[in-house]
Each structure stands twice: as structure tokens, then as C-alpha cells.
Amino acid sequence: MSPLEASNTTMLVAANTFRTTGLVMATIAVVAYLGYLAYNYIWGRGDIGSELELAANKKPYLEDAELETKKLDLSLTVGLATIAVIGLALPLYWLGEPGRQEGYIELTTAQLASRGEHLFEESCSGCHGLGAVGGTAPYTVTDSEGGFIANVTWRAPALTTVLYRFSEDEVRYVLNFGRQNSPMPAWGAPGGGPLTTQAVDELVVYLSEIQLDPAEVTAEVDEGIEQSARAVVVAANPDLQGDEAAIMAEVEQYIEAATEEQLGELLFTNPIGSGAYSCARCHTAGWSWDSNGVAVDPEQPFSSLISLQVSGGGGFGPNLTGGATVRQFPNSVNHADFISIGAQDGVAYGSFGQGDGGGQMPAFGVCVGDRGSSDISPVFGFCEVTDADGVVSERPGVLTPEQIDAVVAYERSL
Ligand code: HEC
Ligand code: HEC
């Protein structure tokens, strides 16, 4: 159900409730009035003229002198007090209204987030890790006819920066439809999954609450570069295995001396957060389940059917090798712009590209989390940060402009 349909249904239900309540109240009023008439008719005094002596307005009342002093003063004082109370209370109430509304939105957001957290622990944390810090998922790789090839372990990316890279609608798209040919199943009703639109919204609110701070993101990327470099160093110097100090010294030196292209490669294959920051998980088939390792694993009977990885050779995302990106982007500047803002569903990019299927190429240079989201709540502007002085600014993206330039240099060399 779309939010609009949902609100229409709510209005219908509300209208019906109002009508029923009204009918019940009208019935009670009519019955009570009939009862009152019957009571008067049955128990009313019959003797004509008796009301003259019994009527309340016939008893002697206060003297004029008293009426015009004490009684009048009392009435006026009560009136004045009432006006004073109304005159003060109404503006005070009105002043508090925005706060009440904000409080209500905060309360609902907190409720949505806590429901989303429960749901996440139940349905998602098995693969993405508790707190969505990244994990692994068991998966069976098959050939195109569905024949068994290998049981593998697939990296399930950390989701603690997912709203930097994707808008909320794009995240909803992934949740609704899953990722084809990967362990990520379709969760939302539109993709045939078990979760309602509201449950998906709750998950998105929960994810927005656990996004890292920009400083934490930078630290993670840097640590990931180190892990990337470590893999390169160990592969090039197998004899260093076990000598941690020597490896770290080599790693530091490698990063120091890295060319722009080499730094780009380290970023392209950044393994931290189960590949959340990497490009290889979408653009290099097999990277997410270490196909090179599986291909030489004697325990896997059909490992000979597994081809070795081609960096940037294409997977869920397109093939970037053979000069593909040079043809797509006439120069590095518009290439870098694309990596920075990613693809949007249906929107053209480069010379002949068009964002497809919910805009799956993430934004790496800007934070796009709160764009394109129409519902949930207005305080839910994830990419806006307010500092101590109340100045609102945009969060930066997960990669710096220099890091994006490095990835671009690497891709243009493929
Ligand atoms: C069976 C394991 C598994 C479960 C359960 C699972 N996921 Fe995933 N999910 C994955 C994998 C693996 C990927 C990465 C797919 C790929 O490599 O293309 C992924 C990708 C995603 C992405 C895209 C992230 C990105 O940066 O590309 C989101 C968002 C996501 N999952 C959210 C969820 C949520 C929310 C749930 C719970 C409702 C969930 N997942 C449950 C395995 C799982
Ligand atoms: C979640 C998967 C995913 C990740 C991660 C990802 N991409 Fe993509 N990428 C795509 C998809 C899908 C497309 C195709 C456009 C679309 O529909 O979104 C694409 C398109 C591209 C293109 C345009 C290719 C062409 O010829 O049209 C380039 C260049 C690119 N990505 C570079 C990168 C770089 C650099 C990174 C890492 C910093 C990266 N991608 C990370 C999924 C991904």
C-alpha cells in the first residue's frame, strides 16, 4: 500500500468511527428525551396552580443593596479571573504547540527506529552483523542451468554508511527487490517478500539512526586502505608471513609511495566493513566470495568451473575494463562527478549510460541519504548536520575528492 492509499484508508476508518459515534450519541439523546417526557407525564403534579407557590423563581430573593454590592462584585471578579486565565492560557498553549509537534515526531521516529531495530536483529543481522557492521552469508554458486558449483561465504556489507551512498528510496528499492544472483533476498511486498511497506520504512529509520559520523567514516576508509595494502604486500612477499612488524613497515611504505592508480586500486578493493566501501563487490565477479581462493580449493569438487577474477570485469555492475569508462566518460572530471553522485533510476549519465533498477550505483562523494524521500517524517534529514551554533551543513560523502580521483585514474587504466 502506498503512503497515500494508507492515509486514505485511515481517513475512511476515521470517518466511519465518527459517524458511528454520532449515531450512538443521537440515539442516546432521543431515548433520554423520551424518558424525560414520560417521567414528567407519569410523576408530574396534577393540581393546577400549585406551581405558583412551588416555582423556584417565586421565592423572595436578595435585597437590591446586597445584589448591587457583594453579589455583583463576586460575579465580576469571577468573570475577570476567567478572562485572565483564558487570556494567558491560550497564548501559552499556542506557544507550546511547535514543541509538542516536534516531540510527537521524535516520539514516532523513536518508536519506528526501535521497531526497525527488532526487525533488523530478527531478519538481517544473521548476514549483516549485529548493528549492521558487516558480516557474511552462506551461498551456493550455481551455473546458468542451476547446477551446483560451490558452497561459498559471501560478504554482506556493513550498512552503517548505506544512507551516505543511497537515498532512502534507493535503499527501499534494495529491500523490496533484493539483489539478484546474490544472497540478499527480496524482503518487501513489491518484490514478493514477507515485509510490509511499513516494516520496510521502519528498517530505513533504524538504518538512519546507526549511520556513522563523517570522522568515523574517514577512519574506516583509511583502515580499509591499510588492509587492502596489506593483502598486496603479503601477496608480493610471501616470506614476510608471520613477521607482523615487517609487514606493517612494508604496508606503510607501500601506501606512502603509491601512485594515484595504485591508491585507486586499494580503494577499489577496500575490504573493510565487508566491502561496504569497495567497488569490487559490484564490479568484479567473485570478489565478494573470494572466488580465486575457492577456485584453487581442493575441497570444492567443481572448482575447475570457476574462472579467476578480472578486476573491474563486471558483476552486478557493468564491466569497466577494455577502456569502457574512457568511452563512457570523455574526461576524468565527468567520470569523477559520476562516482561522486552515483546513478539515479532512469537518469542519464556519461555518454550513453542510464541509471537502472532503482539507481544501484552508489554515491561516493556526497551524502544522498535524505534526498528523494517523501514520507516518514520531516526531521528525518539524515545528510544535514546542525553544529553547536545551529548552523546547518551537509555531510560529506564516504570518499574524499582526492580518493575519487584516484579511483577514476585506476578505472581509466583498466
Ligand atoms: C542471507 C543473507 C542476508 C540477509 C538475511 C539480509 N541480507 Fe542484505 N545483503 C546481503 C548481501 C550478501 C548483500 C550484498 C549483495 C551483493 O554483494 O551484491 C546485501 C545487500 C544489502 C543492501 C545493499 C547495501 C549496499 O551498500 O549495496 C541493503 C540495504 C541490505 N542488504 C539490507 C538488508 C536488510 C535491511 C535486511 C533484513 C531485512 C537484509 N539485508 C537481510 C545478505 C543478506
Ligand atoms: C552496489 C553495487 C555497486 C557498487 C558498490 C559500485 N558500483 Fe559502480 N555501478 C553499479 C551499477 C549497477 C552501475 C550501472 C548504473 C546503474 O544502473 O546504477 C554502475 C556503474 C558504474 C560506472 C559506469 C559504467 C558504465 O560504463 O556505464 C562506473 C565508472 C562505476 N560504476 C564505478 C564505480 C566505482 C569507482 C565504484 C567504487 C568507488 C563503484 N562503481 C561501486 C553498481 C555498483
Side-chain angles (χ1 to χ4, degrees), residues 166 179 278-279 281-283 316-318 320 325 328-329 335 338-339 343 349 354-356 359-362 364 399 407 411:
F166 292 115
R179 284 261 169 81
S278 76
C279 319
R281 75 179 159 100
C282 291
H283 288 285
F316 173 68
L320 308 174
T325 58
Q328 179 69 282
F329 304 101
H335 187 165
F338 175 71
I339 309 298
Y349 67 83
Q354 189 167 15
D356 205 2
Q360 301 280 289
M361 166 66 193
F364 285 93
L399 300 183
V407 177
E411 281 184 344

Side-chain angles (χ1 to χ4, degrees), residues 200-362:
V200 168
D201 282 350
E202 286 163 5
L203 283 165
V204 174
V205 175
Y206 167 65
L207 290 177
S208 83
E209 303 266 306
I210 58 162
Q211 299 300 295
L212 299 177
D213 288 337
E216 294 171 317
V217 174
T218 309
E220 277 225 315
V221 173
D222 288 346
E223 200 185 324
I225 292 176
E226 231 175 81
Q227 290 178 11
S228 247
R230 189 196 160 92
V232 175
V233 164
V234 170
N237 310 283
D239 47 308
L240 284 184
Q241 202 84 37
D243 188 348
E244 203 46 41
I247 293 178
M248 283 328 287
E250 282 286 328
V251 165
E252 218 169 276
Q253 207 181 345
Y254 185 85
I255 296 174
E256 282 268 340
T259 63
E260 201 177 27
E261 269 173 35
Q262 282 170 329
L263 177 62
E265 182 169 17
L266 296 181
L267 287 159
F268 196 88
T269 54
N270 189 343
I272 202 158
S274 288
Y277 302 87
S278 76
C279 319
R281 75 179 159 100
C282 291
H283 288 285
T284 306
W287 185 83
S288 285
W289 47 278
D290 186 23
S291 60
N292 285 354
V294 179
V296 295
D297 183 353
E299 305 273 297
Q300 300 274 5
F302 301 106
S303 54
S304 59
L305 297 177
I306 298 171
S307 33
L308 292 182
Q309 289 168 30
V310 177
S311 188
F316 173 68
N319 182 352
L320 308 174
T321 64
T325 58
V326 177
R327 286 189 297 277
Q328 179 69 282
F329 304 101
N331 58 58
S332 319
V333 177
N334 37 49
H335 187 165
D337 285 347
F338 175 71
I339 309 298
S340 184
I341 61 168
Q344 285 89 51
D345 192 13
V347 177
Y349 67 83
S351 304
F352 41 78
Q354 189 167 15
D356 205 2
Q360 301 280 289
M361 166 66 193

